[in-house]
Amino acid sequence: MKKIISAIMILIMIAALAGCSANTAGNAAKEPATADEASELIKTDTFEADDYMNRLKSCVKQIKEKTDFVPDIVLVLGSGLGEFADKVNVVAEIPYSEIKGFPVSTVQGHDGKLIFCEINGKKVVVMKGRVHMYEGYDAKDVVLPLRALHLIGANTVILTHAVGAINEDYSVGDFVIDKDHISTFVPSPLTGKNLEELGERFVDMSDAYDKDLISVVEDVAVENNIPVHQGVFVQLMGPQYETPTEIRMLRGLGADTVGMSTVVETIAARHMGMRVCSISSVTNMAAGIEQKKITHEEVQESSDKAAADFAVLISGLLSKMTVE
């Protein structure tokens, strides 16, 4: 009798365990209980990319509502170089803060507005001031303005920026035409799901900077006796300036100049098939080369002194270059 009872108990336990397993499997197969739970499960990079494109298209729509001007060229003005924009014939002017979803400059020397104008017969939109990753923006935010202006019509971008000179053959006040760059130390704006409406997944960077535009800038510099070099630029995150040891490392990698912007913009521009010309203004010698502290005030002061030559270079480039 005891054997029979034991057998019955074992059968009951097996049945109970089977029932539990069935219930567990059934629960696992059920849909999430709420829409919020489902939303959490499907939050992927695809959805983030869609949100970004919607934001980008909204910015384009807002700009078009404020002006029907269609630029061929974007001119990005870096630290201390904003005075150039004060001497152009303005067709329309839009502060970044008036475009919902547009990143806003927070750094002294970066006013933060779009100036639509004609310069030497070319249709140009000047970005008076840019945003940086050290302000809290990610790489995609930093390049959103350039992407919006390309979608409006611009196919060429002229990037300008203040830099520290690593190459000891350079002097404060010189200009450097970027012939190549090092992007290793900053995140790419192309990470995540590819934005097919803007460009292809994998972008060739063999000729990131347009050789024809480089040649034009060199010709203008020679004609006007302006010291100019060709060099390799490296972008770092900032906002701190580099240490002497970091500068020695960068020199060993082949960098001639260093700064906190521009490379991510170049990558985004090339992704969209834009021509790129980048001109650096040497505002200080990099850490360890001279025995003095580097300050933002020094950068702005040096930029102000170089403003006249900078205006000559940009005006000459816009006059001589061809629009594609």
Side-chain angles (χ1 to χ4, degrees), residues 176-181 206 208-209 214 230-233 256 278:
V176 183
I177 311 166
D178 296 326
K179 64 179 181 180
D180 204 350
H181 68 235
S206 300
Y209 300 93
I214 289 174
Q230 283 193 38
V232 176
F233 172 72
D256 295 297
S278 180

Side-chain angles (χ1 to χ4, degrees), residues 155-234:
N155 285 312
T156 300
V157 59
I158 301 169
L159 300 165
T160 71
H161 52 141
V163 299
I166 297 173
N167 189 324
E168 295 186 39
D169 291 335
Y170 299 172
S171 300
V172 172
D174 289 356
F175 291 91
V176 183
I177 311 166
D178 296 326
K179 64 179 181 180
D180 204 350
H181 68 235
I182 298 171
S183 64
T184 311
F185 303 101
V186 290
S188 170
L190 308 184
T191 56
K193 181 178 182 292
N194 186 48
L195 304 176
E196 298 291 344
E197 295 174 64
L198 300 181
E200 61 186 14
R201 169 79 283 185
F202 300 103
V203 185
D204 179 25
M205 299 296 289
S206 300
D207 296 303
Y209 300 93
D210 190 275
K211 288 182 172 57
D212 290 337
L213 296 179
I214 289 174
S215 180
V216 172
V217 177
E218 286 190 316
D219 289 344
V220 173
V222 170
E223 290 169 6
N224 293 278
N225 296 314
I226 297 173
V228 70
H229 314 271
Q230 283 193 38
V232 176
F233 172 72
V234 58

Side-chain angles (χ1 to χ4, degrees), residues 55 157 160 318 323:
R55 176 184 165 203
V157 59
T160 71
L318 290 172
V323 174

Side-chain angles (χ1 to χ4, degrees), residues 307-323:
D309 284 343
F310 169 76
V312 172
L313 286 178
I314 297 299
S315 296
L317 172 60
L318 290 172
S319 177
K320 292 174 177 289
M321 67 181 286
T322 57
V323 174

Side-chain angles (χ1 to χ4, degrees), residues 58-256:
S58 172
C59 290
V60 170
K61 182 174 182 291
Q62 292 173 71
I63 294 170
K64 287 183 174 181
E65 288 172 348
K66 295 177 183 295
T67 180
D68 59 1
F69 187 94
V70 179
D72 294 312
I73 301 163
V74 180
L75 171 60
V76 183
L77 298 180
S79 295
L81 300 175
E83 284 189 7
F84 181 83
D86 299 331
K87 302 172 184 177
V88 300
N89 296 319
V90 179
V91 175
E93 190 172 297
I94 308 172
Y96 298 167
S97 58
E98 292 185 5
I99 308 169
K100 186 177 179 180
F102 213 77
V104 178
S105 307
T106 65
V107 181
Q108 184 180 357
H110 291 260
D111 287 358
K113 55 185 174 182
L114 299 176
I115 301 173
F116 296 85
C117 55
E118 290 196 12
I119 307 174
N120 293 341
K122 303 298 191 301
K123 299 176 74 174
V124 180
V125 55
V126 177
M127 283 181 58
K128 190 176 182 184
R130 55 155 59 88
V131 299
H132 309 77
M133 284 180 286
Y134 65 72
E135 295 174 73
Y137 294 107
D138 66 24
K140 290 183 174 68
D141 287 326
V142 170
V143 303
L144 184 142
L146 182 58
R147 284 171 162 166
L149 296 172
H150 171 68
L151 291 177
I152 288 171
N155 285 312
T156 300
V157 59
I158 301 169
L159 300 165
T160 71
H161 52 141
V163 299
I166 297 173
N167 189 324
E168 295 186 39
D169 291 335
Y170 299 172
S171 300
V172 172
D174 289 356
F175 291 91
V176 183
I177 311 166
D178 296 326
K179 64 179 181 180
D180 204 350
H181 68 235
I182 298 171
S183 64
T184 311
F185 303 101
V186 290
S188 170
L190 308 184
T191 56
K193 181 178 182 292
N194 186 48
L195 304 176
E196 298 291 344
E197 295 174 64
L198 300 181
E200 61 186 14
R201 169 79 283 185
F202 300 103
V203 185
D204 179 25
M205 299 296 289
S206 300
D207 296 303
Y209 300 93
D210 190 275
K211 288 182 172 57
D212 290 337
L213 296 179
I214 289 174
S215 180
V216 172
V217 177
E218 286 190 316
D219 289 344
V220 173
V222 170
E223 290 169 6
N224 293 278
N225 296 314
I226 297 173
V228 70
H229 314 271
Q230 283 193 38
V232 176
F233 172 72
V234 58
Q235 179 180 352
L236 300 185
M237 284 285 289
Q240 75 281 356
Y241 294 109
E242 303 74 38
T243 68
T245 301
E246 288 170 335
I247 291 301
R248 289 195 295 273
M249 174 190 70
L250 297 174
R251 183 188 295 121
L253 293 176
D256 295 297

